[in-house]
Amino acid sequence: MGRAPCCAKEGLNRGAWTVVEDNILTDYIQTHGEGGWRSIPKNAGLKRCGKSCRLRWLNYLKPDIKRGNISHAEEDLIIRLHRLLGNRWSMIAKRLPGRTDNEIKNYWNTNLRKKVKGKEPNKVDEPAGVIRTKAFRCTGVFIAPQPPKEETATLDTMVVPEEPSMMNQDLVNNAATSLESQSNDGALSMAVPDINSSDFSMHFDIGDHSQTDIFDSEFWKACNLDNVLEEGSTSGDTNDPWPSSDQFLMFSDEMIKDWIKDD
DNA sequence: AAAGACACCAACCGCGCACCG
DNA sequence: ACGGTGCGCGGTTGGTGTCTT
């Protein structure tokens, strides 16, 4: 028995959406909210598949969608995240507010793939060392101190800002506590560092927690890393939260190798 | 100016997962 | 525990615009 199609294909419009269809869908969702995609075409009077409606809304009509002109900082972040995550476009998109997975995927395929391949000729589409969010295990995270000013941060440098306002001892303590409390199997441990120490660094084992868990974790929030990104914005646009290329949170190759180590 | 090649990107497709009864 | 349903994801396709010859 095959899988039932998501909707009957007969009598449905296909291809590019018209302005009228866009308006109908927008009006309907603004009135009734997102969700229930399968029922939207019928209720809104659209001759479209529910999936198609969802895609159109999420990738094009949604009000907070930022279109076009992917900045240098965004491009930089996409490359870095792709290096970490591979083709996990939705995860990458989550770190780029206003950008959709489809847009990032297209941008990668049309612009960045060539660029990255050119820089790293031996790379395949899915770079070695990407974090597979399900199959791979992340066993440790190491946060290194900020490099000296004159030292240019590389793709392999993970940076945490020095300013106490962004990351103070309380936050670090809270981060450790919150992340540990999220570990229900006791697999996680973390040494709380002294951030005033000149060789401040944090290293902790995170057991079976995935990359997704890290991004969504209280730890990430407690470390105020999203604010760190905002502080680093270089575009001058207050809606553009993205930092300059030397201010990103990155993971060293060593860490990545450790994460993907098959145990 | 015309035709072919190439680039871009919106949309489609099929699969897997989560949820619910 | 199981099957059905809805949703989200990543890969792919195809239409359209732009560039090159």
Side-chain angles (χ1 to χ4, degrees):
Chain A
M1 189 176 74
R3 184 189 177 87
C6 72
C7 52
K9 305 242 186 301
E10 301 82 36
L12 295 182
N13 291 346
R14 294 172 61 85
W17 281 64
T18 64
V19 176
V20 174
E21 287 177 312
D22 282 348
N23 289 339
I24 292 171
L25 182 60
T26 304
D27 288 346
Y28 183 88
I29 291 176
Q30 281 173 351
T31 306
H32 298 91
E34 288 182 36
W37 297 107
R38 195 176 275 241
S39 62
I40 284 182
K42 196 176 71 179
N43 295 341
L46 280 166
K47 289 182 176 175
R48 291 278 179 176
C49 167
K51 263 184 159 182
S52 182
C53 293
R54 175 183 163 271
L55 206 67
R56 183 64 178 171
W57 173 254
L58 293 179
N59 287 335
Y60 202 85
L61 299 173
K62 212 174 171 182
D64 54 355
I65 296 290
K66 193 159 64 170
R67 303 201 62 77
N69 297 329
I70 289 190
S71 68
H72 180 72
E74 286 176 310
E75 183 182 303
D76 196 38
L77 181 57
I78 292 168
I79 293 170
R80 290 161 187 263
L81 288 173
H82 185 270
R83 191 156 178 262
L84 276 171
L85 304 170
N87 297 353
R88 275 77 183 169
W89 305 117
S90 62
M91 281 185 66
I92 294 172
K94 279 177 190 164
R95 310 313 304 169
L96 286 142
R99 301 294 184 188
T100 68
D101 54 354
N102 207 39
E103 187 179 13
I104 292 170
K105 179 173 59 181
N106 283 332
Y107 190 72
W108 176 269
N109 287 334
T110 54
N111 298 290
L112 300 182
R113 186 161 55 179
K114 283 170 277 181
K115 199 181 276 191
V116 170
K117 262 187 177 170
K119 279 184 185 171
E120 302 172 63
N122 294 328
K123 291 272 180 193
V124 291
D125 279 358
E126 174 129 314
V130 299
I131 296 165
R132 292 192 169 276
T133 56
K134 285 172 187 161
F136 281 67
R137 176 176 297 182
C138 174
T139 60
V141 172
F142 180 76
I143 300 179
Q146 181 130 19
K149 284 271 186 256
E150 60 275 12
E151 184 181 324
T152 305
T154 69
L155 281 174
D156 302 327
T157 310
M158 182 177 183
V159 178
V160 169
E162 299 166 310
E163 289 84 348
S165 63
M166 290 182 186
M167 189 161 200
N168 60 35
Q169 189 68 56
D170 283 345
L171 278 174
V172 173
N173 294 342
N174 291 342
T177 306
S178 66
L179 194 54
E180 281 177 337
S181 70
Q182 287 176 44
S183 172
N184 49 16
D185 57 2
L188 184 149
S189 65
M190 177 175 177
V192 180
D194 176 5
I195 65 164
N196 297 315
S197 160
S198 59
D199 61 346
F200 159 64
S201 66
M202 295 179 358
H203 180 263
F204 51 93
D205 296 323
I206 66 171
D208 288 338
H209 290 257
S210 68
Q211 179 77 16
T212 319
D213 295 333
I214 297 170
F215 280 158
D216 294 338
S217 70
E218 290 305 311
F219 167 70
W220 183 276
K221 291 166 196 157
C223 285
N224 224 14
L225 293 169
D226 288 324
N227 291 344
V228 170
L229 299 184
E230 281 182 39
E231 287 287 328
S233 179
T234 52
S235 66
D237 176 1
T238 52
N239 293 322
D240 180 0
W242 304 111
S244 62
S245 59
D246 61 350
Q247 287 176 298
F248 270 107
L249 173 77
M250 290 304 298
F251 305 94
S252 72
D253 282 346
E254 202 170 53
M255 288 158 48
I256 291 166
K257 279 177 198 154
D258 182 48
W259 293 355
I260 65 174
K261 194 166 53 188
D262 199 351
D263 52 3

